Amino acid sequence: MGRAAATARREREARFVARLILVVAATPAFGCAGASSRRPAGVLEGGRARTTGPAATTATAVRGGETEAPPPGSADGVGPEGALRPGLARGDGRPADADLARGDAAYARGAYEEAAVAYAAAAEKAPEDAAPWVGMARSQLAAANIPEGVNAAPSSPEAMEAARWLRRAVGLGPNHAPAQLERGRVLLVLGRLAQALAPLEAAARLAPRDAEAQSAMGLALLLNGRGPAGVDALARAAELDPDDAERHANHGTALIQVGRVVDAIVAYDRARQLAPEVAKHASNLGTAYLQDGDPKSARPHLERAVALDPERATYRNNLGFCLEAEGEGDAALAAYREATRRDPSLASAWINLGNARARRGELEAARTAIERARALDPTDPRVVAALEELDRLDPPATP
């Protein structure tokens, strides 16, 4: 498989893991909406993950926070350097290999139905080989345009069928790294987070020098509540692919999840240096500085994010938090209002706007804003706390 095929594979895999880190990064907040200081709430927006990178220099895989090397010669679908091969064909002259190569070529150019036919022909010639089943699953998911996020398609018949094919592939070839990787991915799409972890750990063990395999395992570890191990795996992915900004951004978001804010600043800053024109890297760095209690350092990065992507409401909301922390209440209020205008569904911006209004004594306007947030998510504890405090400041009239 040539460079174009490898690039196509990287782009598709990047679209998949891109959504995973956003799920992981959705919870950190800069303040409690109901605190006596009435500090604004803010949401850290995480980066997205790339999934394939060049080979690296060591031969061990991170697994559950430890290192483990695969048995010599045990992995299938992995090149001699320990990274996943870009396609499923092995080039070894087996009866089905020509069909696998034909499927790889069609898949790389986006002809997914043609690819599926070729992989099915390979499966007919070699029904006990894992590779054709992996190809059929990949092609079906791509042809059906299945959303590539965690729990994105829990009842999709195409995803469920692909999961069955991949279960068969893993059964036929437990050491076939692409089968383990694809099975883990489709289980994440189906929302089966606990089941997804084992195949992704297996893929990382079988392809210890593959940055994508380490990254996918790291994300799964985070999603299953194993934060420190996830951090280790994502650090490993960044080491394997040191010039990829997304790797460092993912590592930074994982570090945020486990409370290592200072280390996250270093990772986010590396991502920003590698991709200075990408708004989310500037935003991530700024919000990490905010979590570290340093709004002065945060501000230029948050302003840069807004300048690079003025339509993104989250960036304006986080900038508003920073401005407020620096005592610029009017500018913060304007940033919150603009955030709600650009994205009326952003609950954090409504909460921040309500808190800012309350601090100015504009309690009726504050209640209106918080009620908008409650309409978006009535279970958000920040909304509940903010309304309780408003009730203390301005008790509702009794009949």
Side-chain angles (χ1 to χ4, degrees), residues 30 43 89 101 118 186 240 287 290 313 321 333 365 388:
F30 301 132
V43 173
V186 78
L240 289 165
T287 50
L290 284 177
F321 180 95
L333 184 66
E388 288 176 351

Side-chain angles (χ1 to χ4, degrees), residues 90-338:
R90 300 179 180 89
D92 57 4
R94 297 185 194 184
D97 207 55
D99 292 315
L100 289 173
R102 186 161 52 89
D104 291 342
Y107 185 89
R109 65 175 184 271
Y112 301 125
E113 294 182 0
E114 180 184 338
V117 171
Y119 289 133
E124 185 174 354
K125 291 178 182 175
E128 302 306 311
D129 184 357
W133 300 97
V134 174
M136 288 192 297
R138 284 180 178 173
S139 301
Q140 172 151 301
L141 292 169
N145 198 27
I146 300 300
E148 298 173 311
V150 175
N151 200 33
S155 58
S156 162
E158 293 89 355
M160 287 189 281
E161 184 172 36
R164 289 192 291 270
W165 289 343
L166 291 164
R167 182 174 60 189
R168 176 167 184 172
V170 168
L172 292 170
N175 289 333
H176 192 267
Q180 297 283 8
L181 181 61
E182 297 294 346
R183 177 161 168 73
R185 284 183 176 146
V186 78
L187 289 170
L188 288 174
V189 168
L190 291 168
R192 303 172 190 174
L193 306 187
Q195 295 179 42
L197 183 54
L200 291 176
E201 285 187 304
R205 173 179 57 81
L206 292 164
R209 296 184 184 180
D210 193 88
E212 183 277 329
Q214 300 298 325
S215 180
M217 178 184 70
L219 293 165
L221 288 165
L222 287 172
L223 291 167
N224 280 279
R226 293 171 58 184
V231 168
D232 288 344
L234 289 166
R236 169 77 171 152
E239 291 171 2
L240 289 165
D241 203 356
D243 294 327
D244 191 310
E246 305 292 351
R247 302 282 190 211
H248 295 281
N250 288 348
H251 183 212
T253 300
L255 288 163
I256 288 286
Q257 298 303 308
V258 298
R260 293 170 55 184
V261 179
V262 174
D263 292 333
I265 288 171
V266 175
Y268 282 145
D269 193 42
R270 180 58 181 155
R272 180 195 62 82
Q273 292 173 29
L274 288 167
E277 300 304 314
V278 177
K280 70 173 178 291
H281 298 325
S283 179
N284 287 343
L285 180 56
T287 50
Y289 273 121
L290 284 177
Q291 287 205 357
D292 197 41
D294 187 358
K296 182 178 180 180
S297 296
R299 183 169 179 170
H301 302 296
L302 296 173
E303 289 176 335
R304 174 69 172 162
V306 171
L308 288 170
D309 190 355
E311 296 301 315
R312 190 66 172 262
T314 304
Y315 299 164
R316 293 180 181 273
N317 179 53
N318 289 345
L319 176 59
F321 180 95
C322 180
L323 292 167
E324 200 159 6
E326 291 206 293
E328 298 186 26
D330 290 344
L333 184 66
Y336 295 145
R337 293 178 66 181
E338 187 64 17

Side-chain angles (χ1 to χ4, degrees), residues 20-36:
L20 302 187
I21 197 68
L22 293 176
V23 174
V24 175
T27 54
F30 301 132
C32 174
S36 59

